[in-house]
């Protein structure tokens, strides 16, 4: 959906997305990294479980909620990438499961 | 603007709508006179419990009245589902009150005991349990939960869906629902009532005051007395949906059928429901995560404050007017729990024109020992 | 060797680590938002020696219009344009003024007594402001078309955001759709950066120009006239433009595949990988509304705006609103509004240090100049009703997946306003707190009832205005009174 312009300077930042390593750039938001990595469909609707992707990239739509370093429901568009950051998608809305026993 | 109805129900909340539904089932021609979008509406701000334990300290008949409604609730849920297609998700898995200190637990045990020792009170099952016993029934409680009380008759419902179901149900039965018809005067004239509203006059053979705290102002218009508090503010914290972990409602923490978690409950003597006290939300959130540590990972999406509908002594007021025959008043704190009684017992009494003294005399406002308005 | 991340010779980009610890419990002035309004307000109050704290939720100052202005990797100044780079001076002045800036700070509660709660780096704390200036700006109007929730459909502003902060341009088959100056601006920026746009679908209603004509003189005299014309010429020369679009659909299963366009009664389909939507912006009202600030419906801008005096003071004493959050006016107007709110704060708290009336008068004149032409733009680019009030299975509330048809059905229960609707259908109860559906819902109810949206009102907004981890709320200080209110035997 998006590509990086050529000749963009900046340090690379090593992150993982659902366990897969990805090279982002200093200053990227997590959402930008997800878009570049082709992992935009990072969320799921609460009611019907449909796929959602970031819509506004400015903290308003809440479609970009992911788990970052173990913390759930972070807005990816508001969090800058950092070396070693672990991003997990599917963290938006969880489905209701029956309790065990 | 005037039209003739058998009964005008003033108030379109859970109490008014339940009564209107019951009346419509008795083939009465009913109009509901309601306020607009921004009204106090405890029907939108309650904790959705259908609760038995801890009721009735000071009025033992209230225990029996409550249990009766709890027992009739499954029928109410089923009938609403049949009629409207909406499942209000009523569940009665038994509920808890949890104590985070020995002192809280002791106070709880004393309250339960005092309820039980009242003369003439109906017996009902409730146990004081320790941490281990609670953990067996409801895994996931935090280490600082000292114990609590459990009553198998406690349950909960999706009260917003209940609200919507009642509104759909009354519409289907031909009840006339009039929003933005705030009532400011009622006169009793030749066997009927003329009700002055902000949108014109409405005439009806009988009138039921089901306007929550506003009943205090309306009741004297028809020779009744309904002393209400009007300054009993509570707050609620709501989370985003979570995987199901809580199968029993706790009086201060419940997980809805949608998966969201509601956290209460507080009391402030305040009457502005547009304001909140942040520190109260903090205390409630802290206690909730101590009761269920999984809540540390929850996300809060909403908080609100609401004025509880609260009669002066906390117990329902059901009365019929002697000076204005055909006028009734019905208000209570537990509009959700008592919805079944209101639909199945109270409404038919009103349709017949007389409240059953045996069941409802204890709830008359005469208990407040004041002169009735002439 | 200069840091490639930093174009501006000033303080380094603020990192959030430890920020929460260094702020005090109270300030003379707390400014929420570091866009043009917030920056100008900070410069005004801090240079008058009022203790000033600026809280902004992004990684760096600039808001939306000047996003990433201190860190953007897009080195060539032609791509983003002069209007963007103008923001550098504002940032410089604000930083030089002595104001304390904290980035990565989300203000989630503000009450009528100006007690705030802010989340920084995973911890929330309270804060008191003698004066609060809310400069939280605008958000994109909802654009509820069938399929607008599909992955691959985004706002034009989103594309501008990643261009500015990361040097990204849309890839694949790129379609823009909507109306408004921003759409043309982002199109030009993408093209200048070397990107390609397959089609631009203009939904500007045909009658708008005629209706806007009465305001033409003001527009011609404004800076927007020449710029706007140049921008449109630039884009038209390179992109296929389809005018007079009356309906749009985004089509795909789990992602966008095609866009269906209707014009002149006929529908045409085009393959698309990304659809960028834009039909104007509206004030981001949530924090102001949660604080109790009164709002009214602006019939020309088709949105709710705060009720303010000429200095931005709201109905709540001590709380001012500045910038696009006060009413859409663009970056230059936002800066002047921020300046005026800042000057008013100085007069209120330190009258002896307030600059003379000449400075305020100059800001008022500059604001009037900056607002020239606004009426013309508002009317010319007013989105069509059909794009503001959807029907059928089109989703209105994205978070709770409530459709226009479901809302219409619920209206038949005698619903008078958005709060009863919210209770019955859950629209507005999701994490976005009505930002994506509030305007749509108020307009749908107004249409169903045959009244103005002013008579219908808006969702009641309460804290937290952004979702916060329960742990953060639970870890905040407790008062004995609060404990007594909760623990009752």
């Amino acid at each position: 959906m998006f590509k990086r312009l050529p000749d963009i300077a900046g340090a690379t930042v090593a992150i993982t997305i659902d366990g897969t390593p990805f090279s982002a750039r200093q200053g990227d938001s997590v959402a930008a990294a997800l878009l570049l990595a082709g992992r935009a469909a990072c969320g799921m609707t609460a009611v019907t479980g449909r796929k959602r992707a970031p819509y506004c990239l400015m903290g308003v739509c809440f479609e970009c909620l992911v788990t970052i370093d173990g913390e759930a429901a972070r807005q990816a568009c508001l969090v800058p990438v950092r070396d070693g950051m672990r991003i997990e998608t599917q963290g938006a809305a969880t489905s209701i499961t029956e309790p065990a026993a | 603007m005037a039209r003739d109805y058998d009964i005008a129900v003033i108030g379109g909340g859970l109490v008014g709508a339940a009564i209107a539904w019951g009346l419509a089932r008795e083939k009465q021609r009913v109009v509901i006179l309601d306020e607009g979008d921004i009204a106090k509406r405890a029907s939108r701000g309650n904790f959705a419990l259908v609760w038995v334990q801890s009721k009735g300290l000071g009025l033992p008949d209230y225990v029996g009245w409550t249990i009766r409604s709890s027992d009739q609730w499954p029928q109410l849920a089923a009938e609403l589902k049949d009629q409207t297609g909406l499942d209000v998700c009523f569940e009665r898995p038994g509920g808890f009150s949890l104590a985070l200190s020995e002192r809280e637990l002791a106070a709880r045990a004393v309250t339960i005991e005092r309820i039980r020792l009242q003369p003439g009170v109906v017996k009902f099952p409730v146990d004081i349990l320790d941490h281990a016993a609670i953990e067996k029934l409801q895994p996931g409680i935090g280490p600082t939960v000292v114990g609590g009380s459990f009553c198998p008759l406690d349950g909960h419902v999706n009260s917003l869906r209940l609200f919507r179901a009642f509104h759909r149900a009354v519409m289907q039965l031909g009840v006339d629902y009039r929003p933005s018809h705030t009532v400011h005067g009622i006169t009793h004239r030749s066997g009927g009532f003329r009700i002055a509203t902000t949108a014109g006059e409405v005439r009806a053979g009988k009138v039921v005051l089901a306007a929550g705290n506003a009943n205090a102002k309306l009741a004297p218009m028809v020779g009744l007395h309904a002393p209400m508090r009007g300054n009993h503010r509570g707050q609620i914290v709501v989370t985003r949906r979570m995987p199901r972990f809580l199968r029993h409602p706790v009086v201060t923490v419940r997980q809805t059928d949608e998966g969201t978690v509601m956290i209460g409950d507080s009391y402030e003597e305040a009457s502005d429901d547009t304001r909140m006290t942040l520190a109260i939300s903090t205390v409630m959130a802290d206690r909730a995560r101590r009761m269920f540590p999984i809540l540390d990972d929850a996300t809060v999406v909403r908080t609100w404050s609401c004025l509880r509908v609260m009669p002066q002594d906390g117990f329902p007021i059901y009365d019929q007017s002697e000076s204005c025959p055909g006028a009734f008043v019905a208000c209570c704190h537990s509009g959700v729990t008592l919805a079944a009684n209101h639909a199945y017992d109270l409404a038919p009494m009103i349709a017949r024109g007389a409240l059953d003294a045996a069941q409802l005399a204890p709830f008359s406002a005469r208990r407040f020992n004041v002169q009735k308005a002439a | 060797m200069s840091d490639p991340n930093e174009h501006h010779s000033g303080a380094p980009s603020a990192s959030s680590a430890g920020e929460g610890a260094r702020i005090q419990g109270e300030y003379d002035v707390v400014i929420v938002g570091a866009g043009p309004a917030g920056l100008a307000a900070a410069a005004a109050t801090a240079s008058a020696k009022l203790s000033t704290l600026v809280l902004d939720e992004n990684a760096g100052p600039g808001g939306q219009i000047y996003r990433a202005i201190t860190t953007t990797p897009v080195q060539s100044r032609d791509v983003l344009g002069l209007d963007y780079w103008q923001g550098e001076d504002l940032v410089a002045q604000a930083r030089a003024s002595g104001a304390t800036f904290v980035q990565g700070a989300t203000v989630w509660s503000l009450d009528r007594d100006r007690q705030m709660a802010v989340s920084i780096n995973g911890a929330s704390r309270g804060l008191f402001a003698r004066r609060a200036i809310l400069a939280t700006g605008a958000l994109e109007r909802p654009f509820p078309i069938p399929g607008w929730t599909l992955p691959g459909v985004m706002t034009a502003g989103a594309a501008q955001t990643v261009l500015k902060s990361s040097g990204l341009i849309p890839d694949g088959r790129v379609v823009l759709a909507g109306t408004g100056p921003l759409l043309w601006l982002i199109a030009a920026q993408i093209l200048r950066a070397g990107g390609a746009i397959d089609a631009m679908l203009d939904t500007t209603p045909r009658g708008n120009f005629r209706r806007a004509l009465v305001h033409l003189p003001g527009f011609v005299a404004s800076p927007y006239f020449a710029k706007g014309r140049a921008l449109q010429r630039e884009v038209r020369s390179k992109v296929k433009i389809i005018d007079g679009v009356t309906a749009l659909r985004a089509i795909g299963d789990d992602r966008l595949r095609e866009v269906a366009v209707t014009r002149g009664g006929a529908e045409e389909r085009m393959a698309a990988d990304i659809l960028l939507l834009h039909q104007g912006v509206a004030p981001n009202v949530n924090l102001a509304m949660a604080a109790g600030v009164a709002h009214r419906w602006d019939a020309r801008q088709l949105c709710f705006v705060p009720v303010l005096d000429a200095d931005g003071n709201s109905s709540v004493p001590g709380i001012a609103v500045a910038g696009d959050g006060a009413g859409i006016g663009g970056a230059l107007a936002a800066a002047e509004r921020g300046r005026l709110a800042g000057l008013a704060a100085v007069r209120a708290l330190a009258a002896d240090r307030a600059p003379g009336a000449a400075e305020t008068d100059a800001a008022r004149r500059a604001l009037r100049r900056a607002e020239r032409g606004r009426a013309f733009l508002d009317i010319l680019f007013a989105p069509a009703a059909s794009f503001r009030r959807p029907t059928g299975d089109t989703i209105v509330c994205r978070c709770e997946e409530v459709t226009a048809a479901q809302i219409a059905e619920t209206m038949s229960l005698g619903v008078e306003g958005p709060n009863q609707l919210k209770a019955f259908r859950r629209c507005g109860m999701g994490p976005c707190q009505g930002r994506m559906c509030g305007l749509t819902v108020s307009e749908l109810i107004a249409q169903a009832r045959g009244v103005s949206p002013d008579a219908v009102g808006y969702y009641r907004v309460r804290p937290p205005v952004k979702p916060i981890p329960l742990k953060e709320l639970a870890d905040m200080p407790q008062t004995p009174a609060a404990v007594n209110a909760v623990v009752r035997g």
Side-chain angles (χ1 to χ4, degrees), chain C residues 168-458:
Chain C
L168 306 187
I169 51 170
D171 196 19
R173 305 219 33 142
V174 179
V175 177
L176 271 57
T179 180
L182 188 71
L183 200 61
W184 296 94
L185 177 60
I186 184 60
Q189 289 170 332
I190 291 171
L191 295 169
R192 291 172 199 159
I197 296 169
D198 290 88
M200 188 146 142
L201 314 174
D202 193 337
T203 60
T204 308
R206 291 228 188 268
N208 280 6
F209 184 73
R210 202 178 50 247
R211 281 190 287 275
L213 270 177
V214 63
H215 297 285
L216 187 57
F219 178 63
V220 171
S222 78
Y224 310 116
F225 176 61
K227 282 187 202 163
R229 272 212 318 197
L231 214 55
Q232 284 202 342
R233 265 203 300 267
E234 182 184 345
V235 176
R236 278 187 193 279
S237 68
K238 300 197 182 124
V239 179
K240 168 179 164 189
I241 315 280
I242 299 181
D243 283 336
V245 172
T246 53
L248 286 168
R249 281 190 300 138
I251 299 165
D253 298 313
D254 56 355
R255 60 155 305 150
L256 175 73
R257 305 263 174 227
E258 288 182 303
V259 175
V261 195
T262 302
R263 72 191 291 251
E267 190 185 81
E268 173 193 334
R269 287 204 188 191
M270 54 186 70
D273 299 307
I274 178 164
L275 172 63
L276 299 175
L277 298 174
H278 176 79
Q279 55 179 6
V281 295
N284 188 347
V285 297
N286 287 45
L287 184 59
M289 282 190 174
V293 168
H295 285 68
R296 61 171 180 86
W297 175 256
D298 184 319
R300 202 181 70 209
Q301 295 199 333
L302 300 169
C303 56
F304 286 93
V305 299
V307 177
L308 304 171
D309 71 11
D311 289 321
N313 294 313
S314 75
S315 58
V316 178
I319 298 182
V321 183
D324 269 1
I328 304 306
L332 298 176
E336 297 308 327
R337 283 184 184 266
R339 197 156 287 130
L340 286 166
L343 291 170
V346 177
R347 286 197 302 275
L349 296 181
D352 52 313
R353 294 204 288 274
E359 195 160 323
T360 302
D361 289 342
R364 291 204 201 289
R365 281 197 304 275
L367 176 59
R368 273 197 301 275
R369 270 198 309 276
E371 286 179 330
R372 233 185 266 150
R374 177 53 49 183
F376 180 82
L377 288 173
D378 286 346
I379 297 171
L380 177 64
F381 294 122
S386 57
F387 287 116
R388 298 182 344 250
R389 302 195 297 246
T391 57
D393 290 332
T394 304
I395 286 182
V396 172
C397 169
R398 293 174 61 116
C399 298
E400 296 286 328
E401 302 176 79
V402 184
T403 68
Q406 288 169 337
I407 289 173
E409 185 266 329
T410 309
M411 291 300 299
S412 71
L413 293 180
V415 167
E416 297 261 286
N419 296 288
Q420 189 76 329
L421 184 67
K422 184 204 280 188
F424 280 170
R425 296 304 325 218
R426 295 187 58 86
C427 43
M429 283 190 178
C432 95
Q433 281 219 340
R435 289 174 178 86
M436 302 297 299
C437 68
L439 288 177
T440 311
V441 163
S442 290
E443 287 219 65
L444 284 173
I445 295 174
Q447 178 189 37
R449 286 182 51 197
V451 301
S452 143
D454 218 16
V456 165
Y458 194 79

